[in-house]
Structure formats: C-alpha cells, structure tokens
Amino acid sequence: MGLARTLAVRAATLVVLLFIVLFVISFALAGPASKILKDEIMMETKSIIMNLMLHGHYNSTQIQQLQTQIMTELESAYGLNKPPAIRTLYIMYNMIVFNWGYSYFPSEYGNVGGGKVVDIILSALPGTILLDTFGILLSAFIGIEIGLRSALKYGSKSDRAVMYYAALANGIPQWWLGIVMLLIFSFYLAQMHSPISFPTGGIISPKYYELWLTDPVKVFTIPQAVLDLLWHFTLPLITVLIINIGSWAYFARTVVLNISQEDFVTFAKIKGLPENHVVNRYILRPAAPSILTSIFITIPFIIFGGFLVTEMVFHWWGLGYVYNIAIVGSPTPDLPVVVALTYASTLLYIVIIFIMEIVYIMLDPRLRE
Amino acid sequence: MSMVLLDVRNVKLYYTTTKGIVKAVDNISFELDEGETLAIVGESGSGKSTLAKLLVRVWERNVSLVDGEIYLEGKEILHMPEEEFRREIRWKRIAMVPQASMNALNPVIKIGDQMTEPLLLQGTGKDEALKMAMDALESVGLPRDLVNRYPHQLSGGMKQRVIIAMSIMAHPKVVILDEPTSALDVITQANIMNLLKKLKWEYKLSYIFITHDLSLASELADSVAIMYAGKLVEIGGAEDIYTNPSHPYTQGLISSVPTLRTDKTLSFIPGEVPSLINPPSGCRFHPRCPFYKDRDYLKGLCDEKEPPMVELEGKASRKHLVACWLYK
Amino acid sequence: MSMAKKQREFRILGMTPSEITKEFFSSSTGKISAALFIILVVVSMYALIVLPPNFASVWNNPKYWQLNPQYAPPAWINSLIGPVYSPQVYVHDYTYAVQQQNGVTYITVTFNVNYEYDKPWSEIFIVINNPAIYSMPQPPVLSVTVYRPDGSKITLGPLPINSRVTTFGVASEVISQVNLFYNEEYHVSSIVPTGSSATPYIFYTINNGKLTPLKGTYKFDFVFYVFSQNSSVINRNNLEIVLQGQTYGLMGTDNEGHDLWLGLLAGFPIDLAVGLLSALIIVVIAVIIGIVAGFYGGLTDESLMRLTDFVILLPAFPLLIVFSVLFGWSIWDAVIFLAIVSWGASARIIRAMIMQIRSAQYIESAVIAGASRMWILRNHILPQIIPYILYLLVTNVPGAILTLASINFLGLAGSEYPTWGMLLYYADEFGALTSGYWWWVIPPGLLVAFVAVVFILTAMASEPVVNPRLRYG
C-alpha cells in the first residue's frame, strides 16, 4: 500500500519535472531563437524566390509582393507571428507527440531519413549506445571490481595506487585524452609507417556509412564491417575506459569503505563467516542499491558532458556528435534537432530514474514501509 | 574443581590514532572456569570492549600491537593462524554478543537467513538449520515466524534477543556479552537478564559479562574483574568482591551504587577516566585515589611503580587478587 | 580544572583544528596535494607578476607576435633530435659604425651567425623602433652583403626601410637577386618558389642537383643609407635584427606565432579564478538552500527539495552550449550559468548534514534552554558544517574547470585572455591533429588536468576529516 503510493508520488513528481524542463528548454529556444528563425526564413525565402525567378518572369514589384507573401506564410508556419508563450506550447506539444519535424540542415547529417529529426536521432543512437552506454557499463564493471578489491586492502600500496589513478582519471579531460590517443596511435603510427595504425575518426569506414545510418543491425551481419567497426571503436573505447574505470573504482571503494565500518559487518566477522561471504552478503549486497542506481543514473547523463565532446573528437556518429553539429557545426543552430535531442535525453533520464527507484526499493527492504 | 576453560595471560592490544598510541588493553590476565560467569566491570574508556574483541580476534584496522597468550581448553588461540581460528574457534567455541546489537544485523537480509548462515556454511542442511533457528528464537522468547522478518521490523529488545539466540545456536563454550542491556529500558533489561540466566542453565554456558554496572553484574556473576584504564585492578569471587572490595577503585564503585533501603550518602569518584594514550605513571588510579592523597608513605610508590597482583584471603573458590600498594 | 580546559578546545566533527591538520597530512595524498597546491599558487602568482595587466590586448595584437615563427615547436627540441631546426635568433652581437659623407649617413652593422642546422631560418626581420623613419622625405635604404661559408657572396638590396618591420625575404629585389645568384652559381633558375620568402635559400647550396643546407659561419654586412645628418635615426637602442627560426621558446608557438609559454602561463590565474569563482557561487547557493531547507523543514523543505530535483535534472552542459551560442556568452557568463545549474548535489549534502545535526540531543537541549534559532545556527550548526563547506568548495572546482575547458574547446564562451580550453580549440581548428603539433595540443590539456587533479587530491585527503569512517587508516 505504502509502496504503491510512494512510487506514484515519485512518478508524478518526475513527470512534472519533465514538463518543467521541457518548458524551460522550449521557451529558451522559442524566445531568443526567434531571431535565428527569422534569418532562417529570410534565407529560405530568398532561395524560393531565386528558384521562382529561374523558372518564370516577374517584374520587381511582383517579386516584392511574392517575397512578403512567402515570408508571412513561412512566419506563420514557424509560428513566429504568435507570441512566445504560444510558440513554446506549440514546441512542447510537438515534442511530446514525437512530431519532431525536419532539420534545417539535413545535409550535415548525411541526409538521413530525408532530414527527419527522428531518423537523424535514431541513426545516431546505436553509436551512442555502443560507445557511451557500453563504454560506461564496461568501465563500471571493471572499475567496481577494482574499487572493491582496493577497499578491502585499505591503506595498502595497491589501494593507494588505485586512489592516485582515480584522481588522475577524474582530472584529465576525456576528450583531450582522445586527442592525445589520436595523436599517438593515429598520427604518429601513420607517420612512422607502422603496419598497425588507427583511423583518425569516424565510427565506420565510408563504404559502410550509408548502411550504418539506415540499417545498423545489418552491419553486424557482415564480418568485414564488424571488424571495421571494431577498428574504429578501439581508440574511443580505450579512452573511455581509461577515464571512467578510475571514477567507478573510487566510487565503489568509498561505498565499500563506508559499509565495512558498519556494525553488522563487524558482527558478520564475529560470527566467523568467511571473508568472501562477508564481502558478498554484508558489503556488496547492502551497497548494491547505491552502486546500481549510480550506474542507472550515468547512462542517460552520458551525452551531457564530456562524452559530447569526446564523440566530436573522434567524429563518432552518436547523439553527442549530432548535438554538436546541430548547435555549433551548423551555420545557425539547427533548432528542431537541438530541442528534440534535449527533450529525448531528459525523457530517457526520467524514465531511467523511475526504473531505478523501483529497483532501489526492491533491493532495500527498509524502504518498503 | 571445575576445569579451566579460558586462560588469558598478559594480553595487550594497542592501536594507533593521530593523537598517539592507545593502550586499550595493557597486560591483563584472568581465568574462566567451565560454567562460570565472569563479570568484567569498568567505566567507559577502560578498554573492556576492546578486551572482548581481543578474545574473538576481531579488531579495528589501526591496531598496532597484539601480545600475550590465550588458552582455550589448553590450546593457544591468540597466535593461531587466522583461517584456523575462524573455522574452529570463532563463534563455534567463543561467541560474542556485541555492544549496541541494534545495528549488528544486516538490514537487507532476513533474520532467519542471518541466523542459519554459520550453520549452513558448516554443512548443516537447510531445513535442519532453519529448525534450529526457530528453536533458538523460541528459547529466547520470540515467535518462530520471526525468521521471515527483516531487522528494521523489530524493536531494540527483540534484536538483542535475536543476537543472543544466534550466539547459542552454535553451542559455544564461552559467550562474551558486551553490555548486552545498556541500550535497553529497565523492563527489557530485566527480561534479558532472566533470559541469560535461563540459557546459562539450559545450555551450560560460560559467560564473560562486560558491563559498567556493578549491580547488574551482581545478578549473574560468579566472579568479578574490575578494569581500570586498560588494566585489571581487582579480580575475585563475587562474594569477596562485593563484601570485601579491596581496591580503592572498587570501593569507590560500590559506594556509588545507590541503594533503596539504607540511607547512604551517595559518593562518587572524583576526577575522570585517564587517557589511554598517556596514562598516569605507576598505578593508573593514583591521581583519583583517596588513599594516595591521604597517606604520605604512598607518595613515591603509587605514582612511580605499578603495583603487582597480590592474593588476599577470601571465601570464594576463585582467588581474590588485587593490584594495589596498600596490600603489599 | 581539566573540565574548563576541555571547554576551551574547539572541536569540529570531533577533531580540533590541529588534529584535523594532522589527519590531513598523515596520508601521502595530503602531503602531495599540499605540495602541488603550493606549486599551483606559486605559478599563478608568478604568472600575474610576469604578465602585463593588459595581457589580453597584447595577446590579441599581432604586432607583438609577428616576428615569431608560426606553428613552431619548442626550442629545446634540438637537444632531443639534434641540430635540425634553426632557433629564433635575436642578433645582439653586432658591430656598429657610423660614417658621414656628403649629407648621407652610412651606418654599417656587421654580425656573424653560425648555421649548423638542417632547416634554415625562414625570414630575416629588420626592426627599427623609430617613428621618425616614416616621416622622412626620403626613407633610409638598406643594402646587405652575405658572405657564405663556402666563400661565395650574395649582394642584396637596396631595400627601402619605410616601416617599423622590414621583412627581408619577401622584397621583390631580394627574391630576384637570390634567383640570380643561384642561376649564376648553380645554373638553377627560379629557385625561390612564387609567393615564398627568399631568406632560407641564402643558407642553401646545390649538391648533386639537390638543395642541401650550407653549414658554417655566415657574415652579414648591413649598410644603412640614411638621408639625413641625424645619425641617431638608427642606433643600437632602436635597431633589432631578428632571424626567424623554426623553433621558438619554451613551449613553441601556435598559428599566429603566439608564445605558447606565455599563453599557458596566462591560463593559470584565469582557469583558477574561473574554477574557484564557479565553485564559490555553487557552494554559497547550496549552503543557503541547504540550511533553509534543513533548518525550517516542512513546506519550505519540500518545495526547496523539488527545486533541487529540478536543477539536478537540468541538462547543464547542453544548455550551456546552446545559450553560449545564442547569447554569445563570455566565460564569465558561462561561469555564473554553470554555478546556477550545478548547486543541486551540494545542497542536498548540506541539507542532510543540517538535518542530522538538528536532530541531535544538544540542539534539543539548547532549544529547551531557550536559545534562539539564530543562536543555534551560529553556535552549533555553522561550526559543524564549515569542514563540509570547505570540502564542497574543493570538490566543485575540478568539475567547473573541466566543464569550462570543454566549452572553450568547442570555441564557445571564451575570453580575450587565452584559456587552456581555447588554446586547444585553436589547436584543433588549425590542424594540430593532422599535422602533429604536439606542443600545442598536449600542454594545455595537461595543465587542465594538473589543476583539476590538485583539487581532487585535496578533496581525497580531506575525506577522513569529513567522513569519520575513513579515519585512522
């Protein structure tokens, strides 16, 4: 009874928060971005007029009229003639029903799906899952293992080594490490005419590019393509691992250190239970909620932050890279893509948080009352 | 003449802190016979909990010295290899009910599972172990279906009983009880004391009962050892200690116990427990000792030389020993 | 007596300040972080002293850097790979003679240079810091004779000197004269490629049909013809002769010839300032919200916690990127925005602390004794949370520095001062990866990491203080 209520309240809170975030984003983009939209409309109008002039004969007054007419039409189509509040709601509504529209600059994304934002995002999703999600999960796996071993040997040399490694890993910008990796393993290896060198970027070689963007699953059925993918995947993955294993190790170490001081751990030892039994049932089990929830939280957060830039450095076709193109790489910000991506990530985050809350309650009986 | 079950000789345990080395247990010796209940009495900060942990060999990370010998039924166990100690001795022959047992239970595992753990690991069958757990719960006065509950669903007193139940399940020879009732209300305290008495008879247990409460100790104890600042200052049969307290500290303790019936002026021992990092020289009690203040011939003695254990005349079968220059 | 003494001991989290210091330094992490921190502070102060206050305008003014080579590796690279690259040479050792004849002043400047490298100097600059030059009816003229180690001689000039910096090798006379020289000596025509400077070819010879460096001592004879009686128009004080090398300085140069050593140095105070400011704002907001929520509880607490949830949920980095683009933010705008969206986690920690303290016995007794809320806040709560505040401050700095470096790397939210992130942005833009300009790419990132790591280590060393479970390892 209490459980269902708690979850319901939490779900409601999260949904409200999602709305507010969506509102803020939509408003922020609807308001100040209107100037950009106007420029956009101006450009579109000009190109339409240009097209018309090529195929027909108009005199200057007619052109003027046409121009104003087209501009007004476009403005109303983009909702510019309405006040910002309405526009905001308009954007919000479209986001929620997954009507994400078309990108302003489809060519930047290889014309995937004819410029449909949904298709663009979907095409970038596998890349992000591969590098970011898998990368983080693998790092978490390895890191937690290391952190655990380290905490059990608190104060020893290996423990201290892990601590320093974690400090370094947290302080080094991931994208910079990526640049250094590329410098060493791509540039210099190629310079020295080494037989093995790594690509300068990209997620897959151009010949498989089309296939990857439209039907990535098919790529996995072609052995050479898979090898090619792995070859491109090596440097980015190693970069991600080096940086992230450290954080997870330190985190797990801290959690375990905290829990090992608990009275019930001491009592487990008093009961004469063997070491690994104590570790598993009295340290890991109670630590599981915090560790698992951290993993859960990290997954959606990944395109927010260092990974965005990392994807950029490696030209890795993922959500972060797309985001970067949309905001910085395009002549003017590609608003449909930007809003859709931010919304999608926040939505994903909320869903995952909610799942995580359920898992947490399942793992910690104290929260069930 | 009962057999000597536990023979503790000159044990020491020091640990390091940023303030210095804490000499928590500094050269303590005593014996425990089969079926005997020894109460170890001392103020907080006297090192008695550390002594308890020493006996089960579970101590803090920052321990710097462990010394001395402990013989359980003639076999030395303090320097035994850890794995052997864990397999043979810990919990199987010597069990401990720790202080503040409220937090001694794993919050995410059911009570029953926690109770059967040691048995299952030793090869006992699941059903048999569960039955033993339920029997144990019953003998401490708790419902058998508690095995399916989680610790947070129990009250403090119930948790204490669960821990006591766990401790007897393995039929240990010695059960160390570290302040088993300090965190409980008086009624529960009385219940627990009765329970302990009952279990002692039923299972023929030998207790080491650690407490700061002399009067509580008197309910259960066959012998009493008084600890002060990491050292044993007096030890003897309960009769002797209570009727003829010889160490000034013991005397102070006894006279500070309020009585209902007689009209006694409540006295207390002035001063405070000394630091275990820099204990007073000579007899650690001398700064607070009324005799030391009073008698000049003790100056230069009590404040410089540690008094040895001296045997006194006593009625009990256990020898009455006291470490005080008054008796040399 | 000992009772009174105990009351005067000031304890935070169960430790006196001296014990806290002792615990902090007992670990090797503490010692290392303290040492590194001192280095950080010293270098930053050094940077502030050495660099002029208007360094931003200096950095962005090409005039200061025009004599430097571009994309040049550091000068010490020669000690690693041998004498390959010519270093930047500022000629100080020259003879100076003045002669006056028929109203013309002849100023002769002679100097020698040792050329022992595989790659010659790319340019010769003659700098005359005397504005009077430009106002002369007839500007001075320069004629140069180069005596090469193999005995040959090249005569170059005359070259008019009518600006502050004369770039020798791109003057058309010089180019044609060098071409002529090669034609006559080696029967090679048009040796100087179109659009290139002729200067490097002064140091080459043709061996078996191939262009090889001619190593040895070169003697340069500069004769300035000044059409005025005033011989001090060009003198030792205002004359600079610079041979532009292939390497430069301690840390090399970037695409505009900026001395990267100075650029990197400038990064210290600004990155530190930016990180500390951001962390400070975060902690201030977090403390206010945390205390209000934890202290007053009830509805205030509920609503503040919802607000905190919301702020934590906001996608900080993408919003930062979007707003930086839309509003053309500078780094200081970014600092404030980042602080405003990052205080969530810290606020939660403070609130948890406050609630924990609030439920303690001594608070209850203080309330019963009639203490006012403010009094309790000031005397019981604040001392307890000061370590946490400091700890949170230290913990928030690395994140701020890294995020701001990231946003700079994208070319956004910069400042006129060169930050490390911006250096990396330009490095990436100007092909540092494709051309291997390691000196441009590695040091800035390394320094960002260094500063972040110093704070991270400090936080790690402070953990036993704020988390009693980690003490006495």
Side-chain angles (χ1 to χ4, degrees):
Chain A
M1 170 62 229
L3 176 64
R5 201 179 106 85
T6 330
L7 282 180
V9 167
R10 194 72 181 122
T13 325
L14 289 174
V15 168
V16 168
L17 285 173
L18 176 64
F19 264 88
I20 299 184
V21 171
L22 182 57
F23 178 78
V24 165
I25 298 169
S26 312
F27 184 73
L29 290 167
S34 60
K35 178 176 178 311
I36 296 174
L37 260 181
K38 281 214 167 73
D39 291 341
E40 196 42 46
I41 290 176
M42 184 75 66
M43 281 186 358
E44 247 188 271
T45 317
K46 286 213 169 78
S47 67
I48 297 178
I49 298 275
M50 206 88 72
N51 241 341
L52 288 174
M53 277 174 35
L54 282 175
H55 296 116
H57 301 278
Y58 303 90
N59 60 37
S60 43
T61 19
Q62 280 177 312
I63 292 188
Q64 283 289 68
Q65 276 181 324
L66 266 173
Q67 198 160 335
T68 352
Q69 190 183 357
I70 295 176
M71 276 188 69
T72 341
E73 270 182 37
L74 281 177
E75 274 180 12
S76 74
Y78 280 110
L80 267 183
N81 51 355
K82 304 194 188 73
I86 308 278
R87 253 187 291 135
T88 309
L89 289 171
Y90 185 67
I91 295 178
M92 281 176 74
Y93 172 72
N94 279 323
M95 281 300 120
I96 296 174
V97 298
F98 290 94
N99 178 15
W100 291 350
Y102 287 83
S103 151
Y104 291 162
F105 307 99
S107 53
E108 302 268 356
Y109 312 97
N111 279 312
V112 174
K116 271 171 84 169
V117 175
V118 182
D119 289 327
I120 295 175
I121 293 184
L122 282 177
S123 78
L125 197 58
T128 294
I129 292 179
L130 204 53
L131 181 63
D132 302 15
T133 313
F134 174 69
I136 289 271
L137 284 177
L138 189 58
S139 306
F141 213 65
I142 302 176
I144 290 175
E145 186 62 34
I146 294 180
L148 176 66
R149 302 268 152 250
S150 196
L152 293 177
K153 293 207 207 107
Y154 185 61
S156 68
K157 276 215 178 83
S158 60
D159 177 41
R160 281 198 278 151
V162 167
M163 261 182 62
Y164 289 128
Y165 161 57
L168 267 177
N170 275 342
I172 295 178
Q174 187 172 267
W175 43 268
W176 176 77
L177 184 64
I179 295 180
V180 173
M181 296 289 266
L182 281 174
L183 195 63
I184 300 177
F185 294 103
S186 185
F187 179 75
Y188 280 123
L189 279 185
Q191 278 246 298
M192 301 189 313
H193 305 290
S194 143
I196 308 176
S197 82
F198 290 93
T200 52
I203 187 170
I204 207 166
S205 295
K207 60 182 171 194
Y208 299 113
Y209 219 63
E210 196 68 45
L211 189 58
W212 177 262
L213 287 178
T214 46
D215 192 1
V217 182
K218 194 116 172 264
V219 173
F220 284 98
T221 59
I222 309 171
Q224 296 106 308
V226 174
L227 274 173
D228 185 81
L229 183 67
L230 285 175
W231 184 56
H232 281 86
F233 192 37
T234 315
L235 286 184
L237 183 63
I238 294 182
T239 309
V240 167
L241 286 178
I242 293 180
I243 298 285
N244 287 285
I245 289 181
S247 317
W248 286 107
Y250 194 72
F251 168 68
R253 176 185 175 275
T254 308
V255 169
V256 168
L257 278 179
N258 275 328
I259 294 194
S260 7
Q261 298 285 71
E262 292 272 3
D263 289 338
F264 57 81
V265 174
T266 316
F267 185 58
K269 294 191 193 149
I270 293 177
K271 283 205 289 186
L273 299 175
E275 176 86 24
N276 58 326
H277 185 98
V278 175
V279 166
N280 281 330
R281 261 189 141 195
Y282 288 80
I283 296 183
L284 283 184
R285 245 322 248 105
S290 350
I291 296 185
L292 277 178
T293 53
S294 306
I295 298 184
F296 268 116
I297 296 217
T298 326
I299 295 180
F301 254 138
I302 47 191
I303 78 160
F304 298 162
F307 274 89
L308 195 155
V309 191
T310 309
E311 281 189 11
M312 205 197 92
V313 164
F314 285 103
H315 300 289
W316 185 266
W317 190 254
L319 295 176
Y321 191 38
V322 166
Y323 208 91
N324 184 58
I325 293 178
I327 300 182
V328 181
S330 313
T332 64
D334 194 347
L335 295 175
V337 175
V338 171
V339 179
L341 254 181
T342 317
Y343 170 70
S345 326
T346 316
L347 178 64
L348 182 66
Y349 178 57
I350 300 238
V351 166
I352 291 191
I353 284 202
F354 190 64
I355 298 179
M356 173 203 96
E357 307 246 324
I358 299 181
V359 168
Y360 207 110
I361 290 185
M362 280 186 350
L363 287 176
D364 192 343
R366 288 174 286 189
L367 298 174
R368 288 187 203 160
E369 307 299 295
Chain B
M1 231 281 299
S2 330
M3 221 188 57
V4 173
L5 188 55
L6 196 66
D7 184 2
V8 178
R9 297 188 196 169
N10 307 108
V11 291
K12 295 184 183 152
L13 194 147
Y14 300 172
Y15 55 94
T16 43
T17 66
T18 44
K19 305 174 213 174
I21 297 187
V22 177
K23 304 192 180 99
V25 174
D26 203 0
N27 204 343
I28 294 206
S29 310
F30 63 87
E31 280 173 8
L32 181 72
D33 288 342
E34 219 170 315
E36 184 184 357
T37 297
L38 168 69
I40 300 189
V41 180
E43 290 170 89
S44 28
S46 57
K48 47 194 209 301
S49 284
T50 315
L51 180 60
K53 294 199 193 139
L54 178 60
L55 295 173
V56 286
R57 288 175 53 165
V58 173
W59 44 66
E60 317 294 320
R61 268 199 296 256
N62 51 339
V63 84
S64 68
L65 173 75
V66 174
D67 203 12
E69 287 147 356
I70 302 178
Y71 293 90
L72 178 67
E73 292 175 312
K75 193 163 174 199
E76 208 287 325
I77 58 171
L78 187 58
H79 300 283
M80 187 186 266
E82 162 67 25
E83 185 54 24
E84 193 186 334
F85 185 86
R86 184 195 71 76
R87 254 182 311 122
E88 312 281 316
I89 312 289
R90 197 181 283 138
W91 205 251
K92 291 97 189 163
R93 318 288 276 290
I94 304 184
M96 174 168 133
V97 175
Q99 197 172 28
S101 300
M102 323 301 137
N103 302 315
L105 293 170
N106 188 332
V108 300
I109 298 184
K110 287 192 195 156
I111 304 273
D113 291 332
Q114 295 187 54
M115 292 180 80
T116 55
E117 258 176 336
L119 297 175
L120 290 176
L121 283 164
Q122 280 195 295
T124 318
K126 238 174 121 183
D127 295 323
E128 193 190 330
L130 194 59
K131 182 177 174 305
M132 289 172 75
M134 294 198 280
D135 289 338
L137 283 174
E138 207 175 307
S139 59
V140 296
L142 289 171
R144 292 171 78 87
D145 69 356
L146 220 61
V147 292
N148 291 319
R149 302 278 200 93
Y150 283 95
H152 66 271
Q153 296 168 301
L154 273 52
S155 72
M158 291 165 86
K159 283 194 263 201
Q160 190 71 307
R161 289 171 186 246
V162 167
I163 306 267
I164 294 176
M166 284 165 92
S167 67
I168 56 172
M169 270 170 76
H171 300 299
K173 292 264 176 186
V174 181
V175 180
I176 306 172
L177 300 143
D178 190 358
E179 307 260 21
T181 59
S182 348
L184 303 171
D185 62 272
V186 200
I187 308 257
T188 320
Q189 189 179 85
N191 288 334
I192 299 279
M193 293 306 287
N194 286 331
L195 173 62
L196 289 174
K197 286 182 210 163
K198 168 182 160 238
L199 291 174
K200 173 176 163 166
W201 284 114
E202 217 172 296
Y203 294 95
K204 309 215 181 336
L205 302 167
S206 315
Y207 287 149
I208 297 183
F209 187 89
I210 299 181
T211 180
H212 60 273
D213 189 338
L214 245 187
S215 49
L216 192 64
S218 67
E219 290 189 40
L220 210 50
D222 300 313
S223 328
V224 179
I226 314 281
M227 241 182 109
Y228 184 80
K231 290 209 164 283
L232 223 46
V233 295
E234 186 168 359
I235 180 169
E239 271 186 71
D240 289 329
I241 299 286
Y242 285 105
T243 55
N244 184 20
S246 309
H247 195 280
Y249 179 59
T250 321
Q251 293 167 351
L253 281 181
I254 293 203
S255 49
S256 59
V257 175
T259 54
L260 264 182
R261 264 154 243 164
T262 53
D263 214 2
K264 184 176 88 166
T265 19
L266 214 49
S267 66
F268 61 93
I269 311 171
E272 41 185 49
V273 183
S275 134
L276 292 170
I277 297 176
N278 261 329
S281 52
C283 168
R284 298 194 176 176
F285 186 64
H286 81 258
R288 300 165 81 186
C289 180
F291 294 97
Y292 174 78
K293 288 193 184 54
D294 231 18
R295 299 176 191 191
D296 287 327
Y297 72 87
L298 292 174
K299 308 242 175 357
L301 191 60
C302 298
D303 51 358
E304 279 178 34
K305 301 202 207 122
E306 257 189 65
M309 277 289 197
V310 180
E311 190 175 338
L312 300 175
E313 285 281 329
K315 302 197 191 97
S317 51
R318 173 134 321 276
K319 281 193 274 195
H320 188 174
L321 302 167
V322 69
C324 180
W325 286 118
L326 286 174
Y327 301 95
K328 188 63 176 133
Chain C
M1 192 177 72
S2 44
M3 287 293 236
K5 190 166 169 210
K6 246 202 177 141
Q7 272 168 348
R8 255 185 265 135
E9 254 177 16
F10 178 62
R11 278 170 185 276
I12 304 175
L13 291 174
M15 288 174 127
T16 60
S18 62
E19 281 164 17
I20 291 181
T21 334
K22 220 167 157 194
E23 177 74 35
F24 182 83
F25 284 103
S26 64
S27 62
S28 52
T29 328
K31 299 190 193 93
I32 294 181
S33 74
L36 291 180
F37 206 90
I38 293 178
I39 295 179
L40 186 61
V41 170
V42 165
V43 174
S44 304
M45 296 209 294
Y46 174 72
L48 285 173
I49 295 174
V50 161
L51 299 172
N54 64 338
F55 184 67
S57 42
V58 168
W59 182 263
N60 294 312
N61 185 346
K63 185 176 98 159
Y64 289 95
W65 315 102
Q66 67 183 139
L67 304 179
N68 294 350
Q70 294 168 346
Y71 302 107
W76 41 264
I77 195 178
N78 275 347
S79 49
L80 291 176
I81 57 176
V84 174
Y85 297 102
S86 341
Q88 181 95 338
V89 173
Y90 298 88
V91 181
H92 294 299
D93 229 350
Y94 54 79
T95 61
Y96 176 90
V98 183
Q99 229 186 338
Q100 296 208 320
Q101 210 178 23
N102 302 339
V104 180
T105 319
Y106 299 85
I107 300 177
T108 320
V109 171
T110 320
F111 62 90
N112 290 340
V113 273
N114 270 340
Y115 176 58
E116 32 192 65
Y117 311 97
D118 295 338
K119 302 228 183 345
W121 289 281
S122 44
E123 193 50 89
I124 298 181
F125 295 109
I126 297 109
V127 184
I128 300 178
N129 289 311
N130 186 353
I133 300 263
Y134 323 141
S135 54
M136 289 178 72
Q138 212 185 346
V141 168
L142 170 65
S143 161
V144 178
T145 317
V146 185
Y147 297 92
R148 302 184 355 135
D150 64 355
S152 56
K153 170 175 102 169
I154 315 182
T155 323
L156 302 163
L159 211 57
I161 309 274
N162 45 21
S163 55
R164 185 179 152 262
V165 176
T166 307
T167 313
F168 197 65
V170 299
S172 42
E173 301 94 325
V174 174
I175 293 178
S176 49
Q177 281 157 341
V178 172
N179 276 334
L180 195 61
F181 175 77
Y182 271 77
N183 216 346
E184 286 175 359
E185 283 281 319
Y186 310 107
H187 312 291
V188 174
S189 51
S190 301
I191 186 76
V192 182
T194 353
S196 287
S197 165
T199 308
Y201 295 92
I202 297 178
F203 303 95
Y204 280 127
T205 183
I206 304 270
N207 243 341
N208 301 334
K210 276 176 54 171
L211 210 58
T212 37
L214 179 62
K215 302 190 186 178
T217 311
Y218 286 69
K219 179 161 174 267
F220 283 82
D221 251 347
F222 280 38
V223 183
F224 294 90
Y225 301 81
V226 183
F227 302 101
S228 131
Q229 293 287 40
N230 186 358
S231 62
S232 66
V233 172
I234 301 174
N235 59 44
R236 274 192 188 273
N237 290 336
N238 58 24
L239 174 65
E240 276 178 63
I241 301 176
V242 181
L243 275 64
Q244 186 185 59
Q246 303 274 353
T247 67
Y248 186 86
L250 271 171
M251 291 315 241
T253 65
D254 64 2
N255 60 313
E256 299 202 349
H258 291 125
D259 183 357
L260 283 175
W261 162 249
L262 294 178
L264 290 169
L265 206 60
F268 273 95
I270 199 170
D271 266 85
L272 252 189
V274 146
L276 284 172
L277 184 62
S278 203
L280 194 66
I281 302 178
I282 289 178
V283 170
V284 164
I285 301 179
V287 164
I288 295 177
I289 303 239
I291 289 186
V292 169
F295 205 58
Y296 289 101
L299 197 57
T300 334
D301 181 30
E302 256 318 293
S303 36
L304 281 177
M305 278 304 102
R306 294 304 131 233
L307 176 65
T308 314
D309 284 339
F310 167 63
V311 166
I312 293 183
L313 212 58
L314 274 180
F317 195 61
L319 281 180
L320 179 60
I321 298 181
V322 171
F323 292 154
S324 300
V325 170
L326 284 183
F327 304 130
W329 275 353
S330 76
I331 197 166
W332 303 107
D333 300 313
V335 163
I336 296 180
F337 175 74
L338 196 62
I340 294 179
V341 294
S342 309
W343 52 261
S346 304
R348 275 200 187 152
I349 293 177
I350 298 275
R351 170 182 173 271
M353 268 269 91
I354 302 274
M355 299 192 85
Q356 200 185 53
I357 298 174
R358 215 182 64 162
S359 56
Q361 282 281 10
Y362 55 87
I363 299 287
E364 215 180 292
S365 20
V367 170
I368 294 173
S372 74
R373 271 201 156 133
M374 270 294 111
W375 189 92
I376 294 178
L377 187 65
R378 203 174 351 114
N379 291 64
H380 278 301
I381 298 191
L382 279 182
Q384 297 263 350
I385 64 172
I386 286 179
Y388 277 91
I389 295 182
L390 290 174
Y391 178 73
L392 284 173
L393 197 63
V394 170
T395 326
N396 273 305
V397 170
I401 292 185
L402 285 170
T403 311
L404 290 161
S406 306
I407 197 90
N408 279 167
F409 177 65
L410 294 177
L412 303 170
S415 79
E416 330 83 54
Y417 281 90
T419 69
W420 295 323
M422 301 226 67
L423 286 179
L424 286 169
Y425 167 68
Y426 286 114
D428 193 45
E429 282 285 297
F430 288 93
L433 259 186
T434 48
S435 315
Y437 302 137
W438 50 270
W439 63 91
W440 198 0
V441 155
I442 297 188
L446 218 51
L447 288 178
V448 170
F450 173 70
V451 177
V453 167
V454 171
F455 282 93
I456 292 176
L457 282 178
T458 309
M460 278 187 181
S462 321
E463 270 178 16
V465 175
V466 297
N467 185 353
R469 290 170 172 216
L470 299 173
R471 288 184 197 168
Y472 315 131

